[in-house]
Amino acid sequence: MDFELSDELKDFRKMVREFALAEFTSEVARKRDFEESYPDDLRIKSLQKGIIDFANPWKTMVAIEELCRVDAGLGISVTVPYFGAEVIMLFGNDSQKEKYLSEVNRGKKMMGLAVTEPGGGSDVAANKTEAVKSGNKYILNGSKMFITNGQIADFFVMLARTSKADPAKKHRGMSTFIVESKFKGFSSNKLEGKLGVRATNTAELILNNVEVPEENLIGEEGKGFYYIMTFFNISRVFVAAQAIGVAQGALDRTLEYLKNNAPSGEMQNEYVQFTLSDMATRIEAARLLMYKAASYLFQFKPNPTITSMAKGYASETAVFASEKAMELTGLYGLSGDLERYFRDAKIMEIWEGTSEVEKLIIARMLEKESDSSE
Amino acid sequence: MNDDLKLMKETVRDFSAKNIENIALKIEREGIDKDLLKKLAEQGFLGATAPQEYGGSELDGASYRAILEELSSFSPSVGVLVFLYNSIASKLLKKGKAADYLKEILSGESTLGFGYGEILEGYVNSTGNKGSDENGILKKDVIFPTANKFIVLDESGQNLILTNGKIEKPKNKKTLGIRGLGISDVTIEKSNNEKLGLRSDIVKALEDSSLEIAAIYLGIIKGALNKAIEYAKVRTTFDHYLKDYSPMAFSLSNLKAEEELLRSYIYESENDYARGLNALIFSESLSKRATKQALQTHGGYGYLEDFGVEKFYRDAMTISTILFRGRRDRKRLSDEVFGTEAGNL
């Protein structure tokens, strides 16, 4: 057992941190947060600097943490243009990978994942969007909610129902498609007024008789639900990285305040010291859980229990740390950059499966595992 | 709770449902407008406890707290404004031109902002002539920066003055909470000041207002939890209403139980320093837990301002920073509990 990252990863982490500190200035972060506008310039820059390397998942995870540590809105914005790519990588065919993923990898195109529906939330099996086969294409009707990159992505990996829902087994009969935003009948409305991660683009998608060619079906018909659940087992590790970045950044900035801006003696107060220790301990515990989940996953032995633990605990830690940071920094945090961490952190407990869903997964796995253990 | 108090609460609730609920989102985006100020003044809420000669209503403490609770459950910004006017301004603007100005703000004609940062933190947080014209001083972090006049510290850092000022438009920044009032920098005039008293007067006024601040928290708790409870009754997930799931039901009902206990305590306490502190410390913690759970109950929708629940989450944290003074208030409670100086290390 070795708790150290490789030297290569350590150097990479340092490089990403330097990039984030140089590019994610307070001014840029505030502007994007205030305007709710997507930082396309930073997306391109991060690509040019080699911050994003999807061939190496460890690097991706480290990059997400380090970028979100400086600013979650910007950090997520530059790492999310590939969101959903794993579905095509794992289950798509060669021509789909060539046609769609290669352009995303070169930064020429952006993609998104369109699973959640209005009123659906984490209950993916309750989805209503329909795909009806007609000749050599599928006709899609329905809507999608809270879709990241919803207005700016060129195409989406989209989940739709290809056969009527069996009330007892609703997760069956769903399929995944590649749907281009330029297809006729596709439209999107930007969702404004988010509490946090406001640099990211979020939209509602409307599908009105959208014709999708049959070659855009990913994998097999009827297996969409499983593909998406497999994807969530991957993406939850990356959301844990976002959350740990937010938590660590909140701690960084609290320490910076206590050392440089606080009234003297503040750092020696035990209430302050105990709070800092709690923050740091939880962050470290969350990070170790994430490394364990990543270690299983990146060796192609995903462990959903550990993954859900990592995502759930890291999210709670982000909320906890950003709250404590506000309490320790008072006015400084309120009028400075820390309040943004407090707003950004809360989404971690909601997206990619709410904390409640993570707990359900853990409990179900415990039940299952206890059946098979001696 | 006696009938008079019940009636008062009902009156404020009806008023808020009619005049605040429909513009709650607008208040968050654009601030409290003159029209609402006028209506609050007409109802006697704006000067709830102020002397009648200045246009106040001279209500008793419980009625005042009822107003704070009910208004805050619709818009915490409005609750905080009423609090600042009654618990702070009415105690300071007592003589001469200052008293005339109190009349103006209580009638909703004029408005008053507060350089709270430096007043509460106890150091002059202004930047002299830097960045402003020669007659002005830039004051940082002023509550209600669009107001006509301001209570700020003079250059000695010891005296409170009433002065004219002008907002420095914040660049790319909204405040975390109480957006109906806003917090921003203001350039105040060096001349034309009215002396109001000492900095310690305002600190004392605030420390004597623990129950009132607790009443604002209580309103936030109620507003957030009621929204969550209503939502849990109509929203389904995995084929059942949210309310049918035990963690959701237990969590919301436990929080609601704490809210009820807090309410009894707040309305049964009067002019009692220690009970005030108990209520303050408890309500601050409950407001954070309740608003967090209320947002979580709404899932992704809770994260959008349209649903009117995230503002409680922001406001609970903001008010805990500006009115509840964290460690200082915890220390005050410790001193009370131990009957001697405690918790300095």
Side-chain angles (χ1 to χ4, degrees), chain A residues 121 146 347 350 354, chain B residues 235 295-304 307:
Chain A
F146 304 127
I347 195 62
I350 297 170
T354 59
Chain B
R235 170 68 197 262
L295 198 162
Q296 185 71 17
T297 302
H298 285 76
Y301 291 102
Y303 208 67
L304 297 177
F307 276 68

Side-chain angles (χ1 to χ4, degrees), chain A residues 34-46:
Chain A
F34 183 76
E35 293 174 353
E36 294 197 273
S37 62
Y38 181 82
D40 205 48
D41 52 335
L42 288 175
R43 173 182 74 91
I44 291 163
K45 238 182 214 173
S46 66

Side-chain angles (χ1 to χ4, degrees), chain A residues 291-312:
Chain A
Y291 284 166
K292 186 163 180 182
S295 171
Y296 280 127
L297 178 68
F298 301 158
Q299 294 177 66
F300 302 102
K301 299 180 291 189
N303 182 327
T305 314
I306 303 293
T307 301
S308 286
M309 284 178 177
K311 193 272 178 185

Side-chain angles (χ1 to χ4, degrees), chain A residues 123 170 193 195 331 343 346, chain B residues 116 238-239 296 303 305:
Chain A
D123 187 2
K170 288 199 300 188
L195 172 61
L331 189 56
R343 289 185 286 110
K346 193 72 194 78
Chain B
Y116 87 98
F238 298 100
D239 298 326
Q296 185 71 17
Y303 208 67
E305 66 178 356

Side-chain angles (χ1 to χ4, degrees), chain B residues 41-196:
Chain B
E42 278 164 22
Q43 289 290 319
F45 300 155
L46 211 49
T49 59
Q52 287 188 0
E53 56 174 315
Y54 302 122
S57 314
E58 286 187 33
L59 295 173
D60 60 86
S63 304
Y64 173 38
R65 295 196 288 279
I67 293 173
L68 291 174
E69 180 197 339
E70 297 298 338
L71 290 176
S72 301
S73 73
F74 288 87
S75 170
S77 294
V78 176
V80 170
L81 180 69
V82 169
F83 170 80
L84 292 172
Y85 277 13
N86 288 281
S87 293
I88 309 288
S90 296
K91 292 180 183 165
L92 295 171
L93 306 181
K94 286 200 282 208
K95 282 180 287 185
K97 283 186 191 167
D100 293 340
Y101 197 67
L102 181 62
K103 273 188 211 166
E104 285 186 43
I105 64 165
L106 296 186
S107 69
E109 282 299 328
S110 292
T111 44
L112 181 66
F114 298 79
Y116 87 98
E118 58 180 25
I119 293 171
L120 296 190
E121 301 291 328
Y123 58 88
V124 180
N125 187 19
S126 57
T127 54
N129 290 332
K130 217 169 154 193
S132 52
D133 63 61
E134 15 183 75
N135 299 316
I137 299 176
L138 188 71
K139 292 283 185 185
K140 312 279 272 179
D141 305 316
V142 175
I143 298 186
F144 209 1
T146 54
N148 310 104
K149 280 185 191 282
F150 300 90
I151 296 179
V152 294
L153 285 186
D154 71 359
E155 277 159 293
S156 75
Q158 292 308 314
N159 302 306
L160 296 169
I161 51 171
L162 177 69
T163 180
N164 294 314
K166 214 174 84 235
I167 183 173
E168 297 294 321
K169 276 253 184 286
K171 201 176 162 228
N172 294 334
K173 187 108 168 77
K174 281 187 193 171
T175 57
L176 174 65
I178 58 163
R179 288 183 181 166
L181 298 171
I183 300 172
S184 172
D185 298 349
V186 164
T187 303
I188 58 144
E189 281 178 18
K190 269 186 167 176
S191 47
N192 290 326
N193 300 330
E194 295 290 317
K195 280 223 157 46
L196 297 176

Side-chain angles (χ1 to χ4, degrees), chain A residues 173-190:
Chain A
M174 302 174 107
S175 307
T176 39
F177 298 91
I178 299 170
V179 178
E180 296 184 26
S181 57
K182 65 172 199 285
F183 286 169
K184 202 166 159 262
F186 175 99
S187 61
S188 62
N189 303 312
K190 186 178 176 187

